Coordinates of all heavy atoms in Angstrom, one line a residue:
M1 N 107.0 104.0 98.2 CA 105.9 103.4 97.7 C 104.7 104.4 97.9 O 104.6 104.9 98.9 CB 105.6 102.2 98.5 CG 104.3 101.4 98.2 SD 104.0 100.0 99.4 CE 104.7 98.8 98.5
T2 N 103.8 104.4 96.8 CA 102.8 105.2 96.8 C 101.6 104.6 97.5 O 101.4 103.3 97.4 CB 102.3 105.7 95.4 OG1 102.1 104.7 94.6 CG2 103.5 106.7 94.8
S3 N 100.6 105.2 98.0 CA 99.4 104.7 98.6 C 98.4 104.4 97.4 O 98.2 105.3 96.7 CB 98.8 105.7 99.6 OG 99.7 105.8 100.7
P4 N 97.8 103.3 97.4 CA 96.9 102.8 96.3 C 95.5 103.4 96.7 O 95.1 103.4 97.7 CB 97.0 101.3 96.3 CG 97.3 101.0 97.7 CD 98.1 102.1 98.3
A5 N 94.8 103.6 95.6 CA 93.3 103.8 95.7 C 92.8 102.3 95.4 O 93.1 101.7 94.4 CB 92.8 104.7 94.6
V6 N 92.1 101.9 96.3 CA 91.5 100.4 96.2 C 90.1 100.4 96.1 O 89.3 101.3 96.6 CB 91.9 99.7 97.7 CG1 91.4 98.4 97.6 CG2 93.5 99.8 97.7
G7 N 89.5 99.7 95.3 CA 88.1 99.5 95.2 C 87.7 98.1 94.5 O 88.5 97.3 94.5
R8 N 86.3 98.1 94.3 CA 85.9 96.8 93.7 C 84.8 97.2 92.6 O 84.1 98.3 92.8 CB 85.3 95.9 94.7 CG 84.1 96.5 95.4 CD 83.8 95.4 96.5 NE 82.7 96.0 97.3 CZ 82.4 95.9 98.5 NH1 83.2 95.0 99.1 NH2 81.5 96.4 99.2
L9 N 84.7 96.3 91.7 CA 83.7 96.5 90.6 C 82.9 95.2 90.5 O 83.5 94.2 90.3 CB 84.5 96.8 89.3 CG 83.7 97.0 88.1 CD1 82.7 98.0 88.1 CD2 84.6 96.9 86.8
R10 N 81.6 95.4 90.6 CA 80.8 94.1 90.6 C 80.3 94.2 89.2 O 79.8 95.1 88.5 CB 79.5 94.4 91.4 CG 80.0 94.3 92.9 CD 78.7 94.6 93.8 NE 79.1 94.9 95.1 CZ 79.2 94.1 96.1 NH1 78.5 92.9 95.9 NH2 79.4 94.4 97.3
V11 N 80.5 92.9 88.5 CA 80.1 92.6 87.2 C 79.3 91.3 87.2 O 79.3 90.7 88.2 CB 81.1 92.5 86.1 CG1 82.1 93.9 86.0 CG2 82.2 91.4 86.6
D12 N 78.6 91.1 86.2 CA 77.7 89.9 86.1 C 78.4 88.6 86.5 O 79.3 88.1 85.8 CB 77.1 89.7 84.8 CG 76.1 88.6 84.7 OD1 75.3 88.4 85.8 OD2 75.8 88.0 83.7
G13 N 78.1 88.0 87.7 CA 78.7 86.8 88.1 C 80.0 86.9 88.9 O 80.6 85.9 89.2
A14 N 80.7 88.2 89.0 CA 81.9 88.3 89.7 C 82.2 89.7 90.4 O 81.5 90.5 89.9 CB 83.0 87.9 88.7
T15 N 83.1 89.7 91.2 CA 83.4 90.9 91.8 C 84.9 91.1 91.5 O 85.7 90.3 92.1 CB 83.2 91.0 93.3 OG1 81.7 90.9 93.6 CG2 83.6 92.4 93.9
L16 N 85.3 92.2 90.8 CA 86.8 92.4 90.7 C 87.4 93.4 91.7 O 86.8 94.5 91.7 CB 86.9 93.0 89.2 CG 86.3 92.1 88.1 CD1 86.6 92.9 86.8 CD2 87.0 90.7 88.0
H17 N 88.3 93.0 92.3 CA 89.0 93.9 93.2 C 90.2 94.5 92.6 O 90.9 93.8 91.8 CB 89.4 93.1 94.5 CG 88.3 92.5 95.2 ND1 87.7 93.2 96.4 CD2 87.6 91.3 95.1 CE1 86.7 92.4 96.8 NE2 86.6 91.3 96.0
Y18 N 90.4 95.8 92.9 CA 91.6 96.4 92.1 C 92.3 97.4 93.0 O 91.6 98.0 94.0 CB 91.1 97.1 90.8 CG 90.1 98.2 91.1 CD1 90.6 99.5 91.2 CD2 88.8 98.1 91.0 CE1 89.7 100.6 91.4 CE2 88.0 99.0 91.3 CZ 88.4 100.3 91.4 OH 87.7 101.3 91.6
E19 N 93.5 97.8 92.6 CA 94.1 99.0 93.2 C 94.8 99.8 92.1 O 95.3 99.2 91.1 CB 95.1 98.6 94.3 CG 96.2 97.8 93.8 CD 97.2 97.4 94.9 OE1 96.7 97.0 96.0 OE2 98.5 97.6 94.8
V20 N 94.8 101.1 92.2 CA 95.5 102.0 91.3 C 96.6 102.9 92.0 O 96.2 103.4 93.1 CB 94.4 102.9 90.6 CG1 95.2 104.0 89.6 CG2 93.4 102.1 90.0
R21 N 97.7 102.9 91.5 CA 98.8 103.7 91.9 C 99.2 104.7 90.8 O 99.4 104.3 89.7 CB 100.0 102.9 92.4 CG 99.7 102.0 93.5 CD 101.0 101.2 93.9 NE 100.6 100.2 94.9 CZ 100.9 100.2 96.2 NH1 101.4 101.5 96.7 NH2 100.5 99.3 97.0
G22 N 99.5 105.9 91.1 CA 100.0 106.9 90.2 C 98.9 107.5 89.5 O 97.6 107.5 89.7
T23 N 99.2 108.5 88.5 CA 98.3 109.3 87.8 C 98.7 109.2 86.3 O 99.9 108.8 86.0 CB 98.1 110.8 88.1 OG1 99.4 111.4 88.2 CG2 97.6 110.8 89.5
G24 N 97.9 109.6 85.4 CA 98.3 109.6 83.9 C 97.6 108.6 83.3 O 96.5 107.9 83.7
P25 N 98.1 108.2 82.1 CA 97.4 107.1 81.3 C 97.3 105.7 82.0 O 98.2 105.5 82.8 CB 98.4 106.9 80.0 CG 99.3 108.1 80.0 CD 99.3 108.7 81.4
L26 N 96.2 105.1 81.9 CA 96.0 103.8 82.6 C 96.8 102.7 82.0 O 96.9 102.5 80.8 CB 94.5 103.5 82.7 CG 94.2 102.3 83.3 CD1 94.5 102.3 84.9 CD2 92.7 101.8 83.2
L27 N 97.5 101.9 82.8 CA 98.3 100.9 82.5 C 97.6 99.7 83.2 O 98.0 99.6 84.5 CB 99.8 101.0 82.8 CG 100.7 99.8 82.7 CD1 100.7 99.4 81.1 CD2 102.1 100.0 83.0
L28 N 97.0 98.8 82.6 CA 96.3 97.7 83.3 C 97.3 96.5 83.3 O 97.8 96.1 82.2 CB 95.1 97.3 82.5 CG 94.2 96.3 83.2 CD1 93.7 96.6 84.5 CD2 93.0 96.0 82.2
L29 N 97.5 96.1 84.6 CA 98.4 94.9 84.8 C 97.6 93.7 85.0 O 96.9 93.6 86.1 CB 99.4 95.1 86.0 CG 100.2 96.4 85.9 CD1 100.9 96.7 87.2 CD2 101.1 96.3 84.7
I30 N 97.5 92.6 84.1 CA 96.8 91.5 84.2 C 97.8 90.3 84.4 O 98.5 89.9 83.4 CB 95.8 91.4 83.0 CG1 95.1 92.6 82.8 CG2 95.1 90.0 83.1 CD1 94.3 92.5 81.6
P31 N 97.8 89.6 85.5 CA 98.7 88.5 85.6 C 98.1 87.3 84.7 O 97.0 87.1 84.5 CB 98.5 88.1 87.0 CG 97.2 88.6 87.5 CD 97.0 89.7 86.7
G32 N 99.1 86.4 84.3 CA 98.6 85.3 83.5 C 98.5 84.0 84.4 O 99.1 83.9 85.4
G33 N 97.9 83.0 83.8 CA 97.7 81.7 84.5 C 97.1 82.0 85.9 O 96.1 82.6 86.0
T34 N 97.6 81.3 86.8 CA 97.2 81.5 88.3 C 97.8 82.5 89.0 O 97.6 82.4 90.2 CB 97.5 80.0 88.9 OG1 98.8 79.8 89.0 CG2 96.8 78.9 88.3
G35 N 98.4 83.4 88.4 CA 99.1 84.5 89.1 C 98.0 85.4 89.6 O 96.9 85.5 89.3
G36 N 98.5 86.3 90.6 CA 97.6 87.3 91.2 C 98.3 88.7 91.2 O 99.4 88.9 90.6
A37 N 97.9 89.6 91.8 CA 98.2 91.0 91.9 C 99.6 91.1 92.3 O 100.5 91.9 92.0 CB 97.2 91.9 92.6
A38 N 99.9 90.2 93.3 CA 101.3 90.2 93.9 C 102.4 89.9 92.9 O 103.6 90.3 93.1 CB 101.3 89.1 95.1
S39 N 102.1 89.3 91.7 CA 103.0 89.3 90.6 C 103.7 90.5 90.3 O 104.8 90.5 89.7 CB 102.4 88.6 89.5 OG 101.7 87.5 89.7
F40 N 103.1 91.6 90.5 CA 103.6 92.9 90.1 C 104.1 93.7 91.2 O 104.4 94.8 91.0 CB 102.5 93.7 89.3 CG 101.9 92.9 88.2 CD1 100.7 92.4 88.2 CD2 102.7 92.8 87.0 CE1 100.2 91.7 87.1 CE2 102.1 92.2 85.9 CZ 100.9 91.6 85.9
D41 N 104.4 93.2 92.4 CA 104.8 93.9 93.6 C 106.2 94.6 93.2 O 106.3 95.7 93.7 CB 104.9 92.9 94.8 CG 103.5 92.7 95.4 OD1 102.6 93.4 95.1 OD2 103.6 91.8 96.3
G42 N 107.0 94.1 92.5 CA 108.4 94.6 92.3 C 108.5 95.7 91.3 O 109.3 96.5 91.2
V43 N 107.3 95.9 90.5 CA 107.4 97.0 89.4 C 106.2 97.9 89.6 O 106.4 99.0 89.0 CB 107.3 96.2 88.0 CG1 108.6 95.4 87.8 CG2 106.0 95.5 87.9
T44 N 105.3 97.8 90.3 CA 104.2 98.6 90.4 C 104.5 100.1 90.7 O 104.1 101.1 90.0 CB 103.0 98.1 91.4 OG1 102.6 96.8 91.0 CG2 101.7 99.0 91.3
D45 N 105.4 100.3 91.6 CA 105.7 101.7 92.2 C 106.5 102.4 91.0 O 106.4 103.6 90.7 CB 106.5 101.7 93.5 CG 105.5 101.4 94.6 OD1 104.3 102.1 94.5 OD2 105.9 100.9 95.7
D46 N 107.4 101.6 90.3 CA 108.2 102.2 89.3 C 107.3 102.7 88.2 O 107.5 103.7 87.6 CB 109.3 101.2 88.9 CG 110.4 101.0 89.8 OD1 110.6 101.8 90.7 OD2 111.1 99.9 89.8
L47 N 106.4 101.8 87.9 CA 105.4 102.1 86.6 C 104.6 103.3 87.1 O 104.1 104.1 86.3 CB 104.6 100.8 86.3 CG 105.5 99.7 85.7 CD1 104.4 98.6 85.6 CD2 105.9 100.1 84.3
A48 N 104.2 103.3 88.4 CA 103.2 104.5 88.7 C 103.8 105.9 88.6 O 103.1 106.8 88.7 CB 102.7 104.2 90.2
A49 N 105.3 105.9 88.4 CA 105.8 107.2 88.4 C 105.5 107.9 87.0 O 105.6 109.1 86.9 CB 107.3 107.0 88.3
D50 N 105.1 107.1 86.0 CA 104.7 107.7 84.8 C 103.3 107.3 84.3 O 102.8 107.8 83.2 CB 105.7 107.0 83.7 CG 107.1 107.4 84.0 OD1 107.3 108.6 84.2 OD2 108.0 106.6 83.8
A51 N 102.5 106.5 85.0 CA 101.3 106.0 84.5 C 100.4 105.8 85.7 O 101.0 105.6 86.9 CB 101.4 104.9 83.6
A52 N 99.1 105.5 85.5 CA 98.3 105.0 86.6 C 98.3 103.6 86.4 O 97.7 102.9 85.5 CB 96.9 105.6 86.4
A53 N 99.0 102.9 87.2 CA 99.2 101.4 87.2 C 98.0 100.7 88.0 O 97.9 100.9 89.2 CB 100.5 101.0 87.7
Q54 N 97.3 99.9 87.3 CA 96.1 99.3 87.9 C 96.4 97.7 88.1 O 96.7 97.1 87.0 CB 94.9 99.5 87.3 CG 93.7 98.9 87.9 CD 92.4 99.0 87.1 OE1 92.3 99.0 85.9 NE2 91.3 99.2 87.9
R55 N 96.4 97.1 89.3 CA 96.5 95.7 89.4 C 95.1 95.2 89.8 O 94.2 95.9 90.5 CB 97.4 95.4 90.5 CG 98.8 95.9 90.3 CD 99.8 95.5 91.4 NE 99.2 95.6 92.7 CZ 100.1 95.0 93.7 NH1 101.1 94.3 93.6 NH2 99.6 95.1 94.9
R56 N 94.8 94.1 89.3 CA 93.4 93.5 89.8 C 93.5 92.1 90.2 O 94.4 91.4 89.7 CB 92.3 93.7 88.8 CG 92.6 92.8 87.5 CD 91.3 92.2 87.2 NE 91.6 91.1 86.1 CZ 91.4 89.8 86.5 NH1 91.0 89.4 87.6 NH2 91.7 88.9 85.5
W57 N 92.6 91.6 90.9 CA 92.5 90.3 91.3 C 91.0 89.9 91.7 O 90.2 90.8 91.9 CB 93.4 90.0 92.5 CG 93.2 90.7 93.8 CD1 92.4 90.2 94.8 CD2 93.5 92.0 94.1 NE1 92.2 91.1 95.8 CE2 93.0 92.2 95.4 CE3 94.2 93.0 93.5 CZ2 93.1 93.5 96.0 CZ3 94.4 94.2 94.2 CH2 93.8 94.4 95.4
T58 N 90.7 88.7 91.7 CA 89.4 88.2 92.1 C 89.5 87.5 93.5 O 90.5 87.0 93.8 CB 88.8 87.2 91.1 OG1 89.6 86.0 91.0 CG2 88.5 87.9 89.8
R59 N 88.5 87.6 94.2 CA 88.5 86.9 95.5 C 87.4 85.9 95.6 O 86.4 86.0 95.0 CB 88.3 88.1 96.6 CG 89.5 88.9 96.8 CD 89.2 89.7 98.0 NE 90.4 90.8 98.1 CZ 90.3 91.7 99.0 NH1 89.4 92.0 99.8 NH2 91.5 92.5 99.0

């Protein structure tokens, strides 16, 4: 498992929390419905081998 870079982005009316693993082209992982970043726990490290995999969630 690679260590993620964790941060937050403040936008009008919300704060988006995110983590990025890997380097290369950005692959943005967006969960559907009521899902959260944990939806991608099983695949994030594999994807980070070839791209910068970014997961995001709101708090």
Side-chain angles (χ1 to χ4, degrees):
M1 178 185 268
T2 59
S3 297
V6 179
R8 65 179 175 216
L9 175 64
R10 293 177 193 259
V11 295
D12 189 28
T15 300
L16 303 176
H17 298 264
Y18 65 88
E19 67 178 47
V20 178
R21 294 177 189 266
T23 60
L26 180 63
L27 176 61
L28 183 59
L29 304 174
I30 303 172
T34 59
S39 301
F40 302 107
D41 282 350
V43 298
T44 304
D45 281 328
D46 291 335
L47 294 171
D50 297 314
Q54 181 185 37
R55 305 186 312 170
R56 70 130 192 113
W57 62 96
T58 56
R59 291 186 185 172

